[in-house]
Amino acid sequence: MDRSLNVLVVGAGMYVCGRGTDGYGTILPALYQAKKSGLLGEVKVASAGAAGLKELEEKNHLLARMFGFKLNIKCFSDDKTAGTKSYNKAVSKGILPDCAIISIPDHLHYEVASFLMKKKISCLVVKPLAPTLKEVKKLIQIQNENELYCAVEFHKRFDRSNLKLKDILAGGALGDPLYFVVEYSQRKSVPTEKFKSWVRRTNIFQYLGIHYIDIIYFATRAIPQKVMALGQKNFLVSKGVNTYDSIQCIVEWKLPVGNKFTSTIMVNWIDPECTSAMSDQKIKVIGTKGRYEADQKNRGICIVTDEGGVEEPNPDFCGHYGSIGEVNYQGYGIDSILQYFDDICKIKRGFLTVNGLEDTRPTFKQSLIPTKVLESANQSLRSNGKWINLR
């Protein structure tokens, strides 16, 4: 049986192809790597606007020179006169894709994922799966009705730094966890430029903080008990962007054995443009027997040049290695997508079952806990920091 997959990508933004940056994003390099590994068949990309598709083709041409071959990508954009969505056009012409990667604004995830799933197309959705628990439960229902394998692109589960934390907690070296502290931030250009058209429909906790809510659940299997969140609107509103500069969220968790701990997640997206990395991220865990600290920004590499200034790249996330014509992309951002492709292939060939992946992959069902925390944090923000008790 042919192990190659026909893939639809919905979206042509920063994460897909590095739109608005000097980079290539994560999804497009992962597609190249999948093609090189024999996992990829036909590729379609659907985007609302033609501008994103134009930049996608430019990045595709540049990556082709690096890899020594070019992906043949069929592009689809919205037909505004007929009111036809690009993803609808993409699945109504030619071969139906085996799976889709959805990388679009948060508030559109449910609409697009549910449409494709009803066409019996498995979906990998960038985080968060959806802003509300109601939407997530409905997506799980549609997935089950159509016997699909669907997952959330929680790539931080593939970061060795977080895998090490999971193993240390499971081994008991830290004793009983008492509290987690996370600091995570990105540059001002993300809300003011790259996401400006839809940033009012999300917030920094929903965009970034959800990663570490998932990591805490992934590493401990604890259940959240109550949530409180506070936020500040100073800089961005002065620039005409109505969203929070920063959010601080506290969650009380209960372990399967009954013990409780707290997590404090502090996030912002108003870091200076001159900061040495796109993401500044740190996590600390204190237990009754020890502590775990990880500076997930400083990965041990510092580059200083006349043109680029001071840079601290994260080689563990998404980077290319090798000379022109022999390039390979590596990192946990790539691994997350390739793992999904590999799982889909093995399910098609009967080597894996969907139910067999529920406890080991970031499936839609695994997103119930992070979404509940997200929904409660948003409720607390609207209530001036009121504690929200969870069932």
Side-chain angles (χ1 to χ4, degrees), residues 116-163:
L116 295 175
M117 290 161 64
K118 288 174 182 177
K119 297 282 187 180
K120 297 194 177 296
I121 299 169
S122 296
C123 294
L124 177 66
V125 184
V126 298
K127 50 71 193 165
L129 176 54
T132 67
L133 201 60
K134 180 180 179 181
E135 290 174 313
V136 169
K137 288 181 177 179
K138 183 61 177 175
L139 289 173
I140 293 171
Q141 179 184 339
I142 297 170
Q143 173 194 351
N144 292 337
E145 288 172 351
N146 290 278
E147 299 180 334
L148 303 171
Y149 169 49
C150 298
V152 184
E153 205 275 304
F154 275 128
H155 51 254
K156 288 191 181 297
R157 288 193 179 200
F158 294 80
D159 184 347
R160 292 176 297 176
S161 176
N162 293 324
L163 291 171

Side-chain angles (χ1 to χ4, degrees), residues 242-286:
N242 186 20
T243 191
Y244 290 98
D245 296 348
S246 176
I247 293 174
Q248 304 83 48
C249 179
I250 301 175
V251 182
E252 182 182 69
W253 301 79
K254 187 175 182 179
L255 290 161
V257 294
N259 296 339
K260 293 183 178 180
F261 65 88
T262 65
S263 64
T264 302
I265 297 180
M266 298 170 282
V267 288
N268 82 71
W269 48 7
I270 56 162
D271 277 356
E273 288 302 297
C274 61
T275 186
S276 59
M278 173 60 78
S279 295
D280 195 318
Q281 45 192 331
K282 300 176 179 67
I283 183 169
K284 178 189 297 184
V285 185
I286 304 300

Side-chain angles (χ1 to χ4, degrees), residues 79-91:
D79 187 338
K80 295 181 180 179
T81 57
T84 306
K85 300 289 188 180
S86 58
Y87 54 87
N88 193 335
K89 292 166 64 178
V91 298

Side-chain angles (χ1 to χ4, degrees), residues 108-256:
L108 300 175
H109 288 184
Y110 174 80
E111 172 192 329
V112 177
S114 60
F115 174 86
L116 295 175
M117 290 161 64
K118 288 174 182 177
K119 297 282 187 180
K120 297 194 177 296
I121 299 169
S122 296
C123 294
L124 177 66
V125 184
V126 298
K127 50 71 193 165
L129 176 54
T132 67
L133 201 60
K134 180 180 179 181
E135 290 174 313
V136 169
K137 288 181 177 179
K138 183 61 177 175
L139 289 173
I140 293 171
Q141 179 184 339
I142 297 170
Q143 173 194 351
N144 292 337
E145 288 172 351
N146 290 278
E147 299 180 334
L148 303 171
Y149 169 49
C150 298
V152 184
E153 205 275 304
F154 275 128
H155 51 254
K156 288 191 181 297
R157 288 193 179 200
F158 294 80
D159 184 347
R160 292 176 297 176
S161 176
N162 293 324
L163 291 171
K164 176 61 69 175
L165 169 61
K166 184 177 187 296
D167 286 348
I168 289 174
L169 285 168
L174 298 185
D176 299 326
L178 301 174
Y179 62 89
F180 288 63
V181 179
V182 174
E183 292 183 272
Y184 195 8
S185 58
Q186 288 191 343
R187 294 169 179 165
K188 293 174 179 175
S189 59
V190 174
T192 59
E193 298 174 17
K194 298 176 177 66
F195 296 165
K196 189 174 183 179
S197 64
W198 62 277
V199 73
R200 73 186 190 283
R201 304 291 296 269
T202 187
N203 61 52
I204 183 58
F205 184 74
Q206 185 167 306
Y207 170 61
L208 281 187
I210 191 74
H211 263 308
Y212 281 95
I213 292 296
D214 179 69
I215 285 300
I216 292 168
Y217 173 59
F218 172 64
T220 67
R221 285 297 185 255
I223 302 300
Q225 304 296 297
K226 58 183 180 179
V227 178
M228 187 272 281
L230 293 168
Q232 299 77 37
K233 291 184 177 182
N234 297 338
F235 172 77
L236 290 173
V237 291
S238 73
K239 301 298 181 183
V241 181
N242 186 20
T243 191
Y244 290 98
D245 296 348
S246 176
I247 293 174
Q248 304 83 48
C249 179
I250 301 175
V251 182
E252 182 182 69
W253 301 79
K254 187 175 182 179
L255 290 161

Side-chain angles (χ1 to χ4, degrees), residues 74 78 158 323 331 356 360:
K74 297 180 180 179
D78 284 3
F158 294 80
S323 56
T360 59

